[in-house]
């Protein structure tokens, strides 16, 4: 009897499994009961809501798990990278890089990835992305030339590589490698990265392959945006193009750039825009430009000037392309801007800048072919315009001059409006303060020296009536007895 009941119950279990019934026991007997599928569905849904959130928020056509994983891209840890700060992750990360397909992303989870050297493959539109604390750091292993470099540069291919993006990663040269990252690509992006610790250059964008071959195409439309680039010994950014035409249309925007010898070194500048950057703590210069070319704009930056005393140097443009202009606008400058050009009919267009210290000045160095147009600039300087070459006025071939419209200087609360053409023999009228008329220095007619030790019956000050060193000065303004 028991054996027969066992077989019957077993048969009921099979029926329940295949036809969606539950089994109800009443005494020694079992019976089939239809399942309440609505109740089960609600219970499962409530359980899922408690563990992975509201499923309705996935939309009407959520992707399946496999497609979600594919869309997510690759993860360096899937290839064996540890990110523990001690393991050599070079092989694992390079394997992951080499497996990237066009348009695919490689993700670096939080961690400290020690590597020797990494090559970015010439695969179109790949993305390398991390978290805010994802670090790729140079170990004391491998080639000391670089931390990361692009394939075409390393393989001496004289053409630009495919576009790629590097986002939200910290790159640390660890004061071991010459360059942290070397690019020979076009339309590429470095965004929200921290780049530090190079012996020479933090970022180098180059027109020359590793063996010195000049590329045939143009490295155009590369962007460095929202990065922190610092403590790279020689140059934080080096745009290297001695041909002056192979690296163009560079966009360097919204970065914090500090602590190196030179902030940005530009061998070329055609189509380059520098905007909304903050420069400080550089030993020599915030910005060095060996050749100013067409479409060069320096706009809305904050230059704190070099820490090298006694002069805080901000910008030096070594030469200009003929018939070209550099737009220098809406910047805050704590120091000296120095210009030089042999290119005919070159212009430096300075508009709406704030030179915020008494050594803020535009200095025209021994030029024969440069016009500085200053419009609406504000200076806190005794002599905001300086012409080093004292022979301008006598050189009939020279076109160099300052053309000033509506600029002002505020020195010791003596505000002067500046308009007109200023040459070396007609430097800006100085306002100085001393207990006697100047006996040293070079001054123009109309410069004023206020008496700092006035007394009854004495003079208010002295005025320069003839240009010279120090010029001829006469007292003016008798003080009432």
């Amino acid at each position: 009897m028991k054996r027969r009941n066992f077989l019957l119950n077993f048969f009921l279990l099979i029926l329940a499994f295949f036809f969606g019934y539950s089994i109800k026991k009443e005494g020694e007997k079992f019976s089939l009961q239809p399942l309440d599928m609505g109740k089960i569905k609600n219970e499962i849904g409530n359980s899922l809501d408690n563990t992975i959130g509201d499923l309705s928020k996935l939309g009407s056509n959520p992707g399946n798990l496999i497609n979600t994983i594919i869309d997510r891209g690759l993860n360096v840890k899937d290839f064996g990278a540890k990110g523990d700060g001690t393991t050599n992750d070079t092989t694992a990360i390079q394997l992951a890089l080499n497996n990237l397909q066009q348009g695919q992303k490689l993700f670096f989870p939080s961690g400290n990835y020690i590597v020797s050297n990494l090559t970015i493959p010439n695969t179109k539109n790949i993305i390398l992305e991390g978290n805010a604390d994802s670090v790729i750091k140079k170990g004391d292993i491998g080639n000391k030339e670089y931390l990361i470099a692009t394939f075409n540069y390393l393989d001496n291919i004289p053409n630009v590589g495919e576009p790629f993006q590097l986002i939200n990663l910290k790159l640390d040269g660890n004061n071991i490698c010459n360059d942290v990252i070397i690019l020979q690509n076009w339309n590429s992006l470095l965004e929200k990265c921290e780049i530090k610790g190079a012996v020479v250059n933090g970022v180098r964008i180059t027109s020359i392959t590793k063996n010195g071959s000049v590329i045939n195409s143009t490295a155009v439309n590369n962007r460095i945006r929202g990065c922190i680039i610092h403590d790279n010994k020689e140059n934080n950014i080096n745009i290297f193009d001695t041909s002056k035409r192979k690296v163009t249309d560079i966009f360097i925007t919204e970065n914090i750039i500090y602590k190196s010898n030179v902030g940005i070194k530009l061998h070329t500048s055609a189509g380059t825009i520098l905007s909304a950057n903050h420069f400080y703590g550089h030993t020599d210069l915030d910005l060095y430009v060996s050749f100013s070319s067409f479409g060069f704009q320096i706009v809305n930056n904050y230059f704190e000037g070099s820490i090298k005393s006694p002069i805080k140097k901000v910008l030096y443009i070594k030469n200009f392309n003929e018939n070209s202009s550099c737009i220098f606008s809406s910047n805050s400058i704590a120091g000296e801007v120095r210009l030089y050009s042999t290119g005919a009919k070159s212009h430096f267009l300075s508009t709406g800048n704030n030179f915020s210290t008494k050594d803020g000045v535009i200095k025209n160095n021994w030029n024969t072919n440069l016009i500085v147009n200053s419009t609406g600039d504000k200076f806190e300087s005794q002599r905001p315009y300086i012409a080093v070459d004292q022979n301008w006025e006598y050189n009939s071939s020279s076109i160099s001059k300052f053309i000033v419209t509506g600029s002002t200087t505020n020195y010791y609360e003596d505000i002067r409006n500046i308009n007109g053409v200023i040459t070396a023999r007609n430097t800006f009228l100085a306002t100085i303060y001393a207990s006697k008329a100047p006996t040293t220095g070079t001054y123009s007619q109309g410069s004023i020296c206020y008496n700092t030790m006035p007394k009854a019956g004495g003079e208010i000050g002295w005025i320069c009536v003839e240009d010279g060193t120090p010029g001829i000065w006469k007292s003016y303004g008798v003080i009432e007895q």
Side-chain angles (χ1 to χ4, degrees), residues 360-363 379 381-386 402 408-409 418 428:
V361 63
I362 301 177
K363 183 180 287 188
F379 296 86
S381 173
Q382 181 178 342
R383 296 181 67 196
Y385 309 104
I386 297 177
F402 295 98
T408 61
T409 182
I418 315 167
F428 175 65

Side-chain angles (χ1 to χ4, degrees), residues 28 67 85 127 192 249 337 396 434:
E28 296 295 326
N67 286 337
I127 301 171
K192 295 190 293 185
D249 300 281
V337 171
S396 60

Side-chain angles (χ1 to χ4, degrees), residues 256-274:
I256 298 176
I257 302 169
Y258 64 95
K259 287 188 180 178
S260 69
N261 187 42
V262 175
I264 298 179
K265 189 173 187 178
L266 284 170
H267 289 271
T268 180
S269 60
T272 294
I273 295 177
L274 287 111

Side-chain angles (χ1 to χ4, degrees), residues 340-346 364-371 389 392 395-401:
Y340 174 82
S341 181
T342 58
K345 296 181 181 178
S346 304
N364 211 332
N365 268 37
W366 297 287
N367 286 306
T368 57
N369 293 293
L370 179 63
I371 295 175
D389 184 354
W392 280 2
N395 184 350
S396 60
S397 65
S398 173
I399 64 165
S400 293
K401 57 179 70 75

Side-chain angles (χ1 to χ4, degrees), residues 299-372:
V299 181
N300 197 32
N301 300 283
Y302 178 23
F303 297 98
E304 291 196 31
S306 63
I307 57 176
K308 196 176 192 177
S309 60
I311 298 172
K312 291 174 71 66
K313 292 184 287 184
V314 168
L315 164 65
Y316 178 41
I317 299 180
K318 186 177 180 181
N319 212 340
F320 284 72
N321 193 26
E322 291 189 1
N323 301 303
S324 68
S325 299
C326 173
I327 297 174
F328 189 70
S329 176
S330 303
N331 300 288
S332 179
I333 306 108
E336 175 184 281
V337 171
R338 184 174 293 190
L339 311 169
Y340 174 82
S341 181
T342 58
K345 296 181 181 178
S346 304
H347 290 259
F348 184 75
L349 307 178
S350 180
T351 305
N353 298 291
N354 179 28
F355 291 79
S356 59
T357 59
K358 66 180 182 180
D359 57 356
V361 63
I362 301 177
K363 183 180 287 188
N364 211 332
N365 268 37
W366 297 287
N367 286 306
T368 57
N369 293 293
L370 179 63
I371 295 175
V372 177

Side-chain angles (χ1 to χ4, degrees), residues 53-354:
D54 186 354
L55 295 181
S56 67
K57 292 182 180 179
L58 293 177
S60 58
N61 187 28
N64 61 46
L65 181 59
I66 290 178
N67 286 337
T68 299
I69 292 173
I70 291 172
D71 291 342
R72 158 186 169 273
L74 304 182
N75 188 314
V76 292
K77 290 195 173 182
D78 295 338
F79 291 81
K82 300 297 183 184
D84 57 13
T86 56
T87 302
N88 183 351
D89 285 325
T90 306
T91 301
I93 294 174
Q94 192 62 59
L95 181 62
L97 286 166
N98 294 342
N99 274 276
L100 285 170
Q101 303 298 311
Q102 179 174 322
Q104 200 169 24
K105 180 190 294 185
L106 177 61
F107 181 65
F108 291 74
S110 299
N112 195 337
Y113 301 88
I114 304 299
V115 302
S116 55
N117 312 96
L118 295 175
T119 302
I120 297 175
N122 195 34
T123 305
K124 189 174 183 179
N125 294 330
I126 59 175
I127 301 171
L128 282 62
E129 186 170 356
N131 291 322
D133 54 354
S134 301
V135 182
I136 302 175
K137 187 174 183 178
K138 173 70 176 173
D140 195 9
I141 44 180
N143 190 323
K144 293 187 178 182
E145 181 189 352
Y146 63 94
L147 174 66
I148 298 175
T150 54
F151 178 82
N152 283 24
Y153 167 80
L154 294 172
D155 211 47
N156 298 306
I157 298 173
N159 288 297
V160 293
E162 295 287 1
F164 79 97
Q165 297 181 22
L166 196 149
I167 301 171
N168 208 27
L169 282 165
K170 293 184 178 181
L171 308 182
D172 186 355
N174 200 19
N175 297 313
I176 295 174
C177 57
N178 290 340
D179 298 345
V180 173
I181 183 166
I182 305 173
L183 309 182
Q184 186 190 298
N185 294 59
W186 75 285
N187 198 32
S188 295
L189 170 68
L190 302 180
E191 184 173 55
K192 295 190 293 185
C193 294
E194 182 179 355
I195 301 169
K196 66 176 184 176
V199 176
V200 183
N201 304 299
V203 179
R204 177 154 64 102
I205 301 176
T206 180
S207 65
I208 298 174
T209 64
K210 186 176 180 179
N211 68 0
S213 301
V214 178
I215 59 177
N216 300 317
S217 48
T218 305
V220 64
N221 196 36
N222 289 302
R223 292 151 290 154
I224 303 173
R225 182 170 65 210
C227 295
I228 301 173
I229 307 175
H230 65 99
D231 289 286
N232 299 288
K233 289 184 180 178
E234 290 299 319
N235 308 292
N236 277 319
I237 299 173
N238 186 354
I239 312 299
F240 189 77
D241 179 17
T242 54
S243 71
K244 304 180 178 68
R245 62 183 183 275
K246 292 296 184 179
V247 181
T248 66
D249 300 281
I250 310 151
F251 301 89
I252 303 175
T253 60
E254 303 172 58
N255 303 288
I256 298 176
I257 302 169
Y258 64 95
K259 287 188 180 178
S260 69
N261 187 42
V262 175
I264 298 179
K265 189 173 187 178
L266 284 170
H267 289 271
T268 180
S269 60
T272 294
I273 295 177
L274 287 111
S275 178
N277 302 291
H278 183 184
F279 297 78
Y280 67 93
H282 296 109
T283 305
D284 192 15
L285 281 161
D286 286 338
L287 175 60
Y288 172 85
V289 181
S290 66
F291 199 75
S292 177
S293 193
F294 301 97
F296 184 27
Q297 299 183 46
I298 307 169
V299 181
N300 197 32
N301 300 283
Y302 178 23
F303 297 98
E304 291 196 31
S306 63
I307 57 176
K308 196 176 192 177
S309 60
I311 298 172
K312 291 174 71 66
K313 292 184 287 184
V314 168
L315 164 65
Y316 178 41
I317 299 180
K318 186 177 180 181
N319 212 340
F320 284 72
N321 193 26
E322 291 189 1
N323 301 303
S324 68
S325 299
C326 173
I327 297 174
F328 189 70
S329 176
S330 303
N331 300 288
S332 179
I333 306 108
E336 175 184 281
V337 171
R338 184 174 293 190
L339 311 169
Y340 174 82
S341 181
T342 58
K345 296 181 181 178
S346 304
H347 290 259
F348 184 75
L349 307 178
S350 180
T351 305
N353 298 291
N354 179 28

